[in-house]
Amino acid sequence: MPYETILFDIADGIATITLNRPEKLNAFTEAMHQELRDAMTRVRAKASLRVLVLTGAGRGFCAGQDLSEPAMAGNSDVSTTLERNYNPLVLGLRDLPIPVICAVNGVAAGAGCNIALAADIVIAARSARFMQVFSRIGLIPDAGGTYVLPRLVGQARALGMSLLAEPVTAEQAESWGLIWKCVDDAALQAETRRIAGQLAAGATKAYGLIKKALYASSQNNAERQLALEAELQREAARTADFREGVSAFLEKRPARFSGR
Ligand code: T3D
């Protein structure tokens, strides 16, 4: 399928999806969602992939739902768009058994903010802003906003961000624990490549199991979480990468992980 609203690239075990409507700050359209669905299917199908990077073209990461789309005209059921497009995308990123990095190159607003926060590692350019703009147009945070915000930054900041809809700077976002780190604008690409390269050379199966364990954590009590750890650790210990990791340690050499 030829893409018109995203770019899709694969190199060195790393898939990169770039939202590509820079003149509209990469706002989501129905066409973009279809293309994202297709790209995500390709990522899931390619067993050799070890990292997914999500970023935006131009000066913004994503300004959320394109407000000029017919679905936003006010007389249609917007929950249909959520159920068809945003919810599967959020869960798809989270359930992907490889690490997902979001390189936030500029403003991340509305659903654009929450799709960024659905990634496992969020790196932002210093000039980027995180905005829960929904209440400015009479909506509530969606695309997982009401789920992740209180868990990442606590109820007070989740409420402040959602009710006031003010921009949160990348530095603030890092200090609040909303994102992994903030870097100078000029360093964003290089730092994203460095982290993606590190993860692409790592123990991929373990990364997938780490995601599973940590995302289950907030739903579990201690007993269930410990049981889950034991179950997932059993799986991790069966991988070639576990054997390689231990051998490399004992032989005092860097590990050469195959991702299997
Ligand atoms: O089921 C459902 O589908 C509901 C789901 C909803 C999910 C949501 O995401 S709701 C929230 C939607 N997003 C917004 O409300 C954000 C709207 N945009 C803004 O508030 C501002 O653009 C920003 C604060 C993000 C950035 O401001 P600024 O000054 O840096 O840029 P700008 O000049 O406003 O935008 C540049 C262009 O992008 C401009 O186009 P133009 O006039 O040059 O032709 C602007 O209209 C366009 N643009 C920005 N955001 C959107 C957009 N066009 C359509 N939809 C947008 N969301």
Side-chain angles (χ1 to χ4, degrees), residues 23-25 27 59 63-68 72 78-79 81-82 86 107 109-112 131 133-134 136-137 139 142:
E23 70 291 351
K24 297 293 176 194
L25 301 179
R59 73 175 176 91
Q65 171 65 35
D66 188 310
L67 297 177
S68 67
M72 298 304 287
V78 294
S79 67
T81 326
L82 293 178
Y86 291 101
V107 68
M131 300 178 71
V133 279
F134 303 88
R136 287 189 185 177
I137 57 165
L139 291 181
D142 58 23

Side-chain angles (χ1 to χ4, degrees), residues 34 36 53 96 114 117 145 194 215 236 245 257:
Q34 278 174 22
L36 284 169
V53 174
L96 209 61
N114 295 333
L117 299 178
R194 186 191 69 75
Y215 288 129
F257 292 118

Side-chain angles (χ1 to χ4, degrees), residues 71-183:
M72 298 304 287
N75 48 5
S76 57
D77 181 355
V78 294
S79 67
T80 312
T81 326
L82 293 178
E83 285 159 4
R84 184 177 58 241
N85 296 331
Y86 291 101
N87 297 1
L89 178 58
V90 169
L91 294 176
L93 293 170
R94 192 186 154 121
D95 294 344
L96 209 61
I98 57 174
V100 179
I101 300 172
C102 185
V104 182
N105 51 299
V107 68
C113 182
N114 295 333
I115 294 299
L117 299 178
D120 305 311
I121 293 194
V122 184
I123 316 168
R126 202 167 298 282
S127 66
R129 301 285 180 271
F130 294 83
M131 300 178 71
Q132 296 293 322
V133 279
F134 303 88
S135 62
R136 287 189 185 177
I137 57 165
L139 291 181
I140 69 160
D142 58 23
T146 61
Y147 182 82
V148 292
L149 288 172
R151 287 171 168 80
L152 290 173
V153 296
Q155 193 76 309
R157 284 172 171 153
L159 281 164
M161 284 183 78
S162 305
L163 297 175
L164 301 175
E166 287 169 1
V168 169
T169 66
E171 277 173 33
Q172 244 176 330
E174 181 189 306
S175 74
W176 287 2
L178 186 68
I179 64 168
W180 170 241
K181 67 153 73 164
C182 151
V183 297

Side-chain angles (χ1 to χ4, degrees), residues 47-64:
S48 60
L49 285 179
R50 296 172 76 177
V51 178
L52 171 64
V53 174
L54 183 62
T55 191
R59 73 175 176 91
F61 168 68
C62 177

